[in-house]
Amino acid sequence: KLMQMSKAGVPGVPAGLKETGHSCVMCQHAKIIRNNAAPAATGSDPHCISWDMIDMSKIPTVTGKRYCTMIVERKTRFAHIVLHDSKSEETIIQIFTRVLPLLTEKPIIVKSDCAPEYHTPKMEAFLKDVHGVKEMRHSNEHNQAANGMVEKFGDTLGRGLRVALLQSGLPLSFWGAAAIMVTDLYNSTPHTSLGGDSPHFR
């Protein structure tokens, strides 16, 4: 923006910023963070799922849901979301009981971040003993990209939510319906990583 304003001759902005290579502190910081960030889709484990949760507890949906759990399959890029009103251990187990049978392949590896509700002994026992998961991986809290594609999907979902609600003029309490719509669109959109296929057809 500064470069454009400099080129346009906006009063108060020095001329020739692009030629001198000058940039503000925020831009320099952003470039450092961007260059050092790992790709969102780290790892190449085909039988892997990544999962995370969006906390919208301050803005419940019209049906009282306060959280959105996202699960993304590594191989097909297919995204599943579940809206719920609690993030208790029992609720998380119920979500996995509902979603795991819908996956295209049985997961061997489950990735998540360091949230305490994600790696309780009961949760790990449920995934390993009941569903045959071999390994639970937890990313560093300062390196979210290591959590796999679910972090990128969360970003896509958040942007889509804002666009859908702004375009429709609906109140924020309709974010749950918007999340379902955005997820359906995501799963129907062709991906270059899938050779032009959409996750829905994989």
Side-chain angles (χ1 to χ4, degrees):
K1 292 290 184 183
L2 274 176
M3 302 298 180
Q4 294 171 359
M5 293 167 67
S6 173
K7 187 176 181 181
V10 175
V13 179
L17 286 181
K18 188 170 184 180
E19 290 74 18
T20 59
H22 179 77
S23 60
C24 67
V25 175
M26 289 184 67
C27 291
Q28 293 170 6
H29 179 70
K31 287 179 181 177
I32 292 170
I33 298 299
R34 182 182 61 201
N35 290 339
N36 288 346
T42 53
S44 58
D45 309 298
H47 306 297
C48 173
I49 60 171
S50 300
W51 71 290
D52 202 359
M53 186 189 303
I54 298 175
D55 186 343
M56 294 287 286
S57 54
K58 294 182 179 179
I59 312 173
T61 67
V62 289
T63 57
K65 307 301 182 185
R66 297 173 181 272
Y67 304 94
C68 175
T69 289
M70 308 170 291
I71 299 175
V72 178
E73 300 180 55
R74 175 74 179 85
K75 185 176 182 180
T76 64
R77 273 58 169 180
F78 197 92
H80 307 261
I81 66 164
V82 179
L83 306 176
H84 48 103
D85 54 10
S86 167
K87 59 177 184 178
S88 66
E89 188 177 57
E90 291 74 20
T91 301
I92 301 299
I93 290 176
Q94 288 174 6
I95 290 169
F96 270 85
T97 302
R98 172 181 165 185
V99 173
L100 286 176
L102 303 176
L103 303 180
T104 52
E105 291 185 0
K106 192 173 182 180
I108 296 175
I109 300 168
V110 174
K111 290 183 181 179
S112 65
D113 59 25
C114 300
E117 62 269 18
Y118 295 173
H119 50 90
T120 63
K122 186 176 179 180
M123 183 68 188
E124 294 197 11
F126 166 77
L127 288 173
K128 290 182 177 180
D129 299 340
V130 179
H131 290 282
V133 172
K134 303 295 184 186
E135 185 180 353
M136 299 280 291
R137 295 182 185 174
H138 305 292
S139 62
N140 187 300
E141 59 183 334
H142 300 296
N143 186 17
Q144 291 184 325
N147 194 15
M149 286 175 289
V150 74
E151 296 292 345
K152 180 61 179 174
F153 172 70
D155 179 61
T156 301
L157 183 61
R159 292 171 187 269
L161 282 177
R162 289 191 287 274
V163 170
L165 293 175
L166 285 171
Q167 184 72 22
S168 65
L170 291 170
L172 294 178
S173 57
F174 279 83
W175 67 262
I180 294 170
M181 181 196 73
V182 172
T183 303
D184 287 343
L185 289 173
Y186 173 87
N187 287 330
S188 302
T189 303
H191 290 230
T192 55
S193 59
L194 298 175
D197 284 348
S198 67
H200 177 77
F201 289 105
R202 280 295 181 107

